[in-house]
Amino acid sequence: MEAQLKNDLVNVFKSKLSSQMLLNLDTCSRCGLCTEACHAYASIPLVKYAPAYRAEVVRRIYKRSFTAQGKFAPVMGEAKEITDAALMELKEAAFSCTGCRRCMVYCPFGIDTQQIMSIAKLLLVAAQAEPETLSMLADMSVSKGENIDAFKEGFLSGIKRLEDQMIQTWRDEAGEDPIPTDVVGADLLYVALAGAHSIIPSARIFNAAGEKWSLSFFEAVNFGAFVGDPTKTKLILDRIVNEAKRLRVKEVCICECGTAVRVAKQLKGAPFKVVSLTEVHARYIRQGRIRLKKLPGSYTYHDPCQIARNGGVYDEPRYILSHLVNDFREMSPDPKYNWCCGGGGGLVAMGDETLDFRMQSAKVKADQVRGSGADVVVTACENCHTQLSDLNKHYGLGKEVRFLSSLVADALLPEPQEARG
Amino acid sequence: MATLYYLILVPMVYLAVAVFVLGTIWRIGRLLAAPSAPPPPPIYPLRKPAWLFAVGDALLLPTVLRHNFRLWLALALFHLGLLALLLGHLELIAEFKILQVVPHGIFLGHGFVGLAVILCLIYFLCRRMVSPTKELSVPEDYLLLVLFLFTALFGAQMDWARTWYDYSSMGVDEYRAYLSSLIALKPNIEGVTSAGHSFMLVGHIFFANLLIMAFPFTKLMHAIFTFAMNKFRRG
Amino acid sequence: MSTMAFDKELDLRNLPCPMPVVKISKGIKEVAVGGVVKAVTTDPGALTDFPAWAKTSGNQILGTDEAGGEVSFFIKRMK
Ligand code: SF4
Ligand code: SF4
């Protein structure tokens, strides 16, 4: 590796050294308690998948460049320079970590391995060694934000086609403008994903609840966060923030996408509230704005890590399910300890490239799903849904994998007539 | 030999304390001086007051208790033992009324606390020799354990040696005289170098010095950082 | 426009996010430079994603074709 690049990388590393990051790097006692916490290690017992080992890959470089011990007695902590080989190790460590933060629940100190992996990701970006697919996606998202006027028309024509579909299928409830866009003064801005499955059921529910809403032009998912590039993460998020400000909405509702929920919920000081779709649906039920019929069958719920453990939305999905089904079975005795599906952190977004690893590293998840005994696995995250569907196929679980929102839409009862208008 | 004893018992002790104090201040200062970034989310569900739960997490290690009872037991015994020994050493400097609320002879525990600590250390060492903790471990981890072990061995044995072999020529009074002379900056090592088991005291202090100096440059800083870390997790 | 010639057809109907873009970016590499890929999608989001992707990846969208709730993109590999 050239001296110049090495130097640059050390500086990039330095830019990540906030006080909290220093604590994450300096506190680990290598007790190994977190080892069993990682689904990757629990499924493939290789030490390189142990959280603390992943962290050491980054920590070794940290010690060498930034600590007295690493400078004067590198052998003590196995401190290491950044080399091409080290970059390969960083890549393997960072992109086999889904950022679920289950390890953080086990650690006596609460060391955040995902944060440490964010250093690895940023170094890879700086060395242009990050997974191509993820940076391609991030660049696409950024470009969309920069050129929205050029792309708007295409989007609107796509939405028009969806509306036609909706009007055909649900003539009564669709109303005149089943998928409103660009509504200045709307109460709620709904940020969906590219697929129709993330728009149609939600639109039905918003309309049934009489919500004054508007669909965002942008997709919720933040590929910048997957690739670990804070600049792009911010640019991608800003597109939504600007749109929300322009439309003067009170609330930004993020669709069933864990990363998007987490990134948006971390916004500070915005003139609107950020909520997840699940929270909004629970509210509608609580306020009597939608009524649901019970669906047959047995159900279990997979808590998406970024929405539950890292976002605090535990009760709402269970509340919704209690109105939807009679036979609900918890997957894990304590949802805080739910196994990650194994698809987060950009792994699902990398598609078939990561399929093998995703299937092997999530064996414990497949076992957990099987053990629930339920026929239907419900979740509220696009990535989890894709990964669970892949697991279902790979391990022959014979389950049905459903989005919570689509179940709610299926169970919608027509509004009582007098409530209309 | 006398020179070596002197070097270990006087200049090295001062050096160790200086390194410890300055090093620790530097480490904490470095943290405070670092830019603050927007914190990642805590682990949900949250409990209030967060700081109280964070202190509880730091002191009681509930996550270890939940996932590895044997390790928790050893950690609890080890850290409580260290605490007791620390207090015991304070009493070697002077008599503290407040510590005598539970009346006890000095030295606290008659070496059994030391023995418990030694057993824990051996357990920790063994743990580090077995996969997967083995692969996670770096030389620092072993070195610290070995330093602790030697410090404790020489220290605990010293107390027994005194009672078993009737080494009455050096006891609490001599330790006190030595330590208070160090504190008064008028070092006097006469009382502690002439006894039959003086070499054990010197060994104890030698390893303790190394340990104290290592503190600010190793993971031992977790003793302080754990509070901040746990507070972040609790939100 | 439906008669436009193409070298490879990709079925990107009803895929989860972000597979349409991932698959098109992989698929385009399977034709020679100058070759054309036809991508069929049902995602409304693809209608903004594909142009944005084409712009950042330096490929060219020759045209689109709508039929029965589906949109086909004809994309020429430029490099
Ligand atoms: S965040 Fe999740 S995937 Fe990453 S190391 Fe921790 S447990 Fe493993
Ligand atoms: S549990 Fe925490 S302190 Fe122990 S090895 Fe893992 S990250 Fe380090």
Side-chain angles (χ1 to χ4, degrees):
Chain A
M1 184 182 288
E2 291 168 36
Q4 180 60 39
L5 177 60
K6 196 177 271 185
N7 201 21
D8 290 350
L9 292 179
V10 170
N11 284 328
V12 166
F13 202 129
K14 195 167 172 202
S15 74
K16 289 291 273 183
L17 293 179
S18 62
S19 47
Q20 192 164 4
M21 191 64 89
L22 287 173
L23 283 167
N24 275 317
L25 289 166
D26 285 339
T27 310
C28 178
S29 62
R30 285 170 294 277
C31 68
L33 201 72
C34 53
T35 305
E36 301 285 335
C38 182
H39 62 276
Y41 182 88
S43 301
I44 315 172
L46 295 177
V47 182
K48 64 178 174 180
Y49 297 132
Y53 189 89
R54 292 173 201 284
E56 278 301 303
V57 172
V58 175
R59 212 173 261 128
R60 288 199 276 257
I61 295 170
Y62 162 74
K63 288 182 203 167
R64 180 74 215 181
S65 302
F66 302 102
T67 71
Q69 189 206 76
K71 283 184 185 138
F72 299 113
V75 49
M76 276 296 125
E78 296 175 353
K80 257 194 193 169
E81 303 261 347
I82 307 184
T83 56
D84 290 321
L87 278 180
M88 290 313 295
E89 261 189 305
L90 287 171
K91 190 166 184 171
E92 162 129 53
F95 287 99
S96 60
C97 167
T98 60
C100 69
R101 307 212 299 169
R102 192 172 187 270
C103 49
M104 198 172 157
V105 187
Y106 277 58
C107 175
F109 310 113
I111 288 173
D112 191 339
T113 311
Q114 186 194 28
Q115 283 300 300
I116 299 178
M117 290 304 102
S118 78
I119 301 179
K121 289 185 169 187
L122 194 65
L123 290 175
L124 291 166
V125 171
Q128 296 185 331
E130 81 279 17
E132 248 175 66
T133 310
L134 292 182
S135 49
M136 177 275 290
L137 288 166
D139 289 342
M140 177 206 75
S141 293
V142 173
S143 153
K144 222 154 102 174
E146 287 166 352
N147 303 285
I148 183 61
D149 290 328
F151 304 141
K152 216 172 194 169
E153 209 180 310
F155 184 71
L156 292 176
S157 73
I159 295 301
K160 187 84 203 45
R161 274 188 299 107
L162 284 193
E163 290 189 318
D164 295 346
Q165 266 180 47
M166 284 182 75
I167 292 171
Q168 272 169 27
T169 328
W170 301 286
R171 196 174 305 279
D172 283 346
E173 59 177 64
E176 275 164 23
D177 190 6
I179 310 180
T181 48
D182 226 0
V183 183
V184 179
D187 287 334
L188 179 147
L189 177 69
Y190 176 56
V191 196
L193 293 171
H197 61 274
S198 131
I199 301 173
I200 292 182
S202 311
R204 286 188 60 205
I205 299 163
F206 287 134
N207 295 336
E211 184 68 77
K212 202 173 161 212
W213 69 290
S214 183
L215 177 70
S216 169
F217 288 120
F218 301 105
E219 77 286 350
V221 60
N222 198 315
F223 297 116
F226 283 155
V227 75
D229 186 332
T231 321
K232 286 180 187 161
T233 307
K234 180 156 187 317
L235 281 174
I236 293 170
L237 181 61
D238 278 350
R239 307 171 315 166
I240 298 165
V241 173
N242 292 336
E243 189 183 18
K245 284 185 180 159
R246 187 170 58 80
L247 301 181
R248 298 196 301 277
V249 297
K250 298 194 188 85
E251 243 178 357
V252 167
C253 169
I254 308 289
C255 67
E256 294 174 305
C257 170
T259 317
V261 169
R262 170 157 165 194
V263 174
K265 283 209 170 195
Q266 272 176 272
L267 263 178
K268 292 268 155 11
F272 48 79
K273 247 179 77 187
V274 175
V275 284
S276 66
L277 189 60
T278 308
E279 288 167 284
V280 171
H281 289 171
R283 187 172 73 204
Y284 290 163
I285 297 173
R286 212 170 280 133
Q287 296 173 343
R289 289 168 70 177
I290 53 173
R291 293 185 309 123
L292 305 175
K293 63 171 185 237
K294 287 275 165 97
L295 301 172
S298 55
Y299 295 75
T300 184
Y301 180 71
H302 165 76
D303 281 289
C305 302
Q306 305 309 348
I307 295 180
R309 181 160 44 241
N310 303 325
V313 182
Y314 288 110
D315 298 339
E316 291 82 353
R318 290 171 175 77
Y319 175 76
I320 296 173
L321 281 162
S322 73
H323 285 80
L324 271 178
V325 304
N326 286 321
D327 186 353
F328 175 68
R329 305 173 187 187
E330 279 292 357
M331 183 132 47
S332 141
D334 180 345
K336 183 162 87 173
Y337 288 94
N338 185 37
W339 285 114
C340 173
C341 68
L347 290 188
V348 159
M350 282 189 261
D352 295 343
E353 274 173 59
T354 56
L355 187 66
D356 259 2
F357 176 75
R358 281 193 281 124
M359 294 303 102
Q360 285 177 40
S361 63
K363 190 180 165 295
V364 285
K365 183 75 225 181
D367 292 344
Q368 196 185 34
V369 169
R370 195 185 282 117
S372 75
D375 304 329
V376 186
V377 187
V378 186
T379 193
C381 167
E382 181 92 357
N383 268 350
C384 298
H385 186 280
T386 308
Q387 167 78 356
L388 289 169
S389 307
D390 288 345
L391 286 175
N392 194 26
K393 213 178 326 155
H394 182 86
Y395 288 99
L397 302 176
K399 310 282 178 200
E400 194 188 338
V401 185
R402 293 292 306 268
F403 284 108
L404 183 55
S405 63
S406 75
L407 285 185
V408 174
D410 283 359
L412 274 179
L413 285 172
E415 293 165 78
Q417 280 307 315
E418 65 272 22
R420 280 228 141 172
Chain B
M1 207 52 158
T3 332
L4 184 66
Y5 276 17
Y6 174 78
L7 284 177
I8 291 173
L9 291 182
V10 182
M12 194 182 174
V13 176
Y14 285 130
L15 178 72
V17 173
V19 169
F20 171 78
V21 172
L22 295 177
T24 307
I25 291 177
W26 172 69
R27 283 292 293 274
I28 294 174
R30 176 167 174 258
L31 262 191
L32 296 177
S36 61
I43 292 290
Y44 291 89
L46 300 181
R47 305 281 293 273
K48 298 275 172 219
W51 68 268
L52 191 64
F53 280 95
V55 170
D57 288 347
L59 296 181
L60 304 175
L61 312 178
T63 68
V64 190
L65 178 61
R66 176 165 178 152
H67 300 294
N68 188 337
F69 179 68
R70 213 182 323 157
L71 178 61
W72 182 84
L73 209 62
L75 286 171
L77 209 59
F78 175 71
H79 286 92
L80 283 177
L82 283 190
L83 193 70
L85 292 173
L86 208 74
L87 292 179
H89 282 76
L90 279 182
E91 291 184 302
L92 288 184
I93 301 173
E95 186 115 18
F96 288 92
K97 281 247 161 53
I98 187 149
L99 294 178
Q100 282 295 353
V101 277
V102 184
H104 58 267
I106 298 172
F107 200 89
L108 192 79
H110 299 287
F112 283 103
V113 180
L115 179 68
V117 165
I118 288 167
L119 291 177
C120 292
L121 285 164
I122 291 173
Y123 169 69
F124 295 149
L125 260 178
C126 293
R127 256 190 104 238
R128 290 216 180 267
M129 312 246 178
V130 190
S131 191
T133 329
K134 180 175 162 196
E135 287 87 347
L136 287 181
S137 304
V138 299
E140 169 190 333
D141 302 325
Y142 298 101
L143 181 79
L144 289 175
L145 285 177
V146 168
L147 283 181
F148 261 118
L149 196 60
F150 280 135
T151 309
L153 276 173
F154 280 98
Q157 274 295 327
M158 189 155 59
D159 204 59
W160 284 323
R162 187 161 66 85
T163 43
W164 293 346
Y165 304 110
D166 201 23
Y167 287 143
S168 54
S169 56
M170 182 171 80
V172 172
D173 290 339
E174 282 74 21
Y175 302 149
R176 272 194 185 154
Y178 161 62
L179 281 172
S180 31
S181 78
L182 278 181
I183 288 172
L185 300 181
K186 292 193 194 90
N188 177 359
I189 58 170
E190 245 165 68
V192 288
T193 46
S194 47
H197 60 309
S198 287
F199 74 94
M200 284 203 285
L201 176 90
V202 176
H204 176 66
I205 292 191
F206 175 72
F207 289 112
N209 282 340
L210 290 180
L211 205 52
I212 291 171
M213 285 192 276
F215 186 90
F217 305 103
T218 57
K219 63 174 188 180
L220 293 182
M221 286 298 284
H222 75 250
I224 298 170
F225 292 164
T226 180
F227 296 97
M229 284 300 303
N230 271 299
K231 179 66 177 63
F232 279 123
R233 172 168 54 186
R234 286 289 185 175
Chain C
M1 210 150 350
S2 47
T3 53
M4 191 176 283
F6 55 87
D7 303 292
K8 185 181 171 70
E9 179 165 349
L10 290 174
D11 177 4
L12 309 179
R13 294 176 182 92
N14 297 317
L15 289 177
C17 157
M19 284 312 127
V21 187
V22 171
K23 293 210 167 128
I24 185 71
S25 80
K26 297 236 156 91
I28 196 95
K29 300 208 174 103
E30 287 164 25
V31 298
V33 174
V36 175
V37 171
K38 176 183 179 188
V40 189
T41 169
T42 49
D43 287 351
L47 297 167
T48 48
D49 285 357
F50 283 14
W53 162 78
K55 193 173 154 79
T56 51
S57 64
N59 292 294
Q60 191 188 351
I61 297 183
L62 299 176
T64 55
D65 181 17
E66 288 199 45
E70 293 176 356
V71 180
S72 301
F73 282 84
F74 295 88
I75 304 160
K76 184 171 173 189
R77 178 171 177 187
M78 300 301 286
K79 54 182 188 186

